[in-house]
Structures are given as structure tokens and as C-alpha cells.
Amino acid sequence: MHADQKLFDRAIEQMNLRWPDAPEAVAAAAYLEDGSILTGVALDNFNAAMNLCAETGPICAAYTQGARIVASICVSREPGRTGFTVLSPCGACQERLAVWGPSVEVGVHDPASSAGWSSRTLLDVNPYYWATVFADDDVWPSAAQHAG
């Protein structure tokens, strides 16, 4: 399962539910292995150190449920831009998604694509993932290894 238009649209729906009139907003959507979708929004706070990425909600919900994320996308609405922009996962979100392995698909900003974004695996996004040194197979740490 890939980060696709359906996942993009669900993130936009969530953003419009939470912040219908905000000129600036961020939301995310993630496919679980069973095809269901979890959504979330960025948690903004007066103290910027307490802000959380939009992907954090779906990631925590999936982990709590013992479910596996297979694809994730994060979208933003920004003043001065037409439409919505796909935000590639930041390093923290790549690390959070890494629990489910290198095949997790993520939406990435891709100006060469007609949509302005495309879907890539975590391994494509981060081919030199730091924790592979701890992997039993030298490819990617298992979920058990991530849990410590």
C-alpha cells in the first residue's frame, strides 16, 4: 500500500475539520496494514518546544493498538501557496515510522511529479539509516529491537 491520493484526501479532510478557516495548518493520514486510515493534526503550543508533528497522533494510535502503519502522508496549507503541499517526514517522524520497517511508504515533496509529490519507502528516503548498525541482518532493526 502506498501513500496515494486517497490518503492525501483524508489528510485534507482532517485538516479542514480541525482548521476550516486557518490560513496555515498541517494534518496527516496513515494507512494501517488492514487498509484502515488514522488521521491527526499538528499540536501547536505557545511553547514551541511542546509542538508535535501531525504524524505523531496516528503513529501513537497505531502503536497503542498494536497495528502496523504501511503508509503515511503529511500535508500543509500555507499562506501564499495555492492548494496543499506534501511535507516529507522530518527526521523525528522518520524515526517514529522506522518501528514498522524500511518498506513503510511516505509522501515526499517531489517537484518533478505532476502532483508535486510522490510515494517513497523509508529506505529510499533514508538509505543510510543510523540504526542499521544494530540490525540483526544489517538492513533494518526489527520492531523488537526498536522497542529495546
Side-chain angles (χ1 to χ4, degrees), residues 18-148:
R18 179 64 177 93
W19 293 296
D21 301 320
E24 194 171 339
V26 179
Y31 276 125
L32 299 181
E33 197 167 35
D34 68 2
S36 60
I37 297 175
L38 298 173
T39 61
V41 296
L43 174 64
D44 294 323
N45 191 294
F46 183 71
N47 177 348
M50 297 300 106
N51 292 352
L52 291 173
C53 298
E55 298 99 316
T56 307
I59 289 169
C60 289
Y63 193 78
T64 298
Q65 296 172 23
R68 183 174 185 275
I69 289 180
V70 295
S72 177
I73 195 166
C74 182
V75 297
S76 79
R77 176 174 55 219
E78 301 171 35
R81 289 191 182 248
T82 303
F84 301 93
T85 303
V86 169
L87 302 176
S88 302
C90 71
C93 288
Q94 287 181 47
E95 191 65 35
R96 292 172 182 133
L97 290 165
V99 168
W100 292 288
S103 64
V104 173
E105 296 266 340
V106 294
V108 297
H109 177 72
D110 183 357
S113 164
S114 61
W117 65 275
S118 59
S119 185
R120 299 279 188 266
T121 66
L122 283 179
L123 187 58
D124 290 335
V125 173
N126 193 348
Y128 301 101
Y129 180 47
W130 71 273
T132 58
V133 71
F134 301 107
D136 291 333
D137 58 7
D138 293 326
V139 175
W140 205 269
S142 68
Q145 287 174 304
H146 273 284

